[in-house]
Amino acid sequence: LGKLVPLTALCECGKRWRYLTNLTQDSYEMNCIHCGSPIPVFFNDKKGKYETLLEALPPQKGKKKGGKK
């Protein structure tokens, strides 16, 4: 099988799956098992794993909840 690396798939429907994969591409598109939506995953060199763009983005700071200003 070769070297297995972790892959975390986070779908916009809220479901998350974790796999070990032997992919060698920089990016890959898989389908959500729950809703069927495409989930693009990318290899993160710093973390040594595949992850979705949703997971790779840093959390937004300073954003307040609610609509009042």
Side-chain angles (χ1 to χ4, degrees):
L1 286 176
K3 182 181 176 185
L4 297 176
V5 295
L7 181 151
T8 303
L10 175 62
C11 183
E12 57 190 28
C13 76
K15 297 292 183 180
R16 178 188 304 243
W17 289 274
R18 293 189 178 131
Y19 299 94
L20 289 176
T21 183
N22 61 348
L23 289 173
T24 57
Q25 301 127 296
D26 290 334
S27 63
Y28 179 75
E29 188 171 282
M30 58 188 293
N31 291 328
C32 175
I33 297 169
H34 182 72
C35 72
S37 295
I39 305 172
V41 293
F42 304 90
F43 188 73
N44 185 328
D45 284 326
K46 289 183 180 181
K47 294 181 181 178
K49 69 174 193 170
Y50 286 92
E51 59 188 4
T52 60
L53 186 58
L54 294 174
E55 188 180 30
L57 292 174
Q60 294 182 359
K61 294 181 181 177
K63 192 171 189 177
K64 296 182 180 181
K65 292 184 179 180
K68 297 181 181 180
K69 290 185 177 181

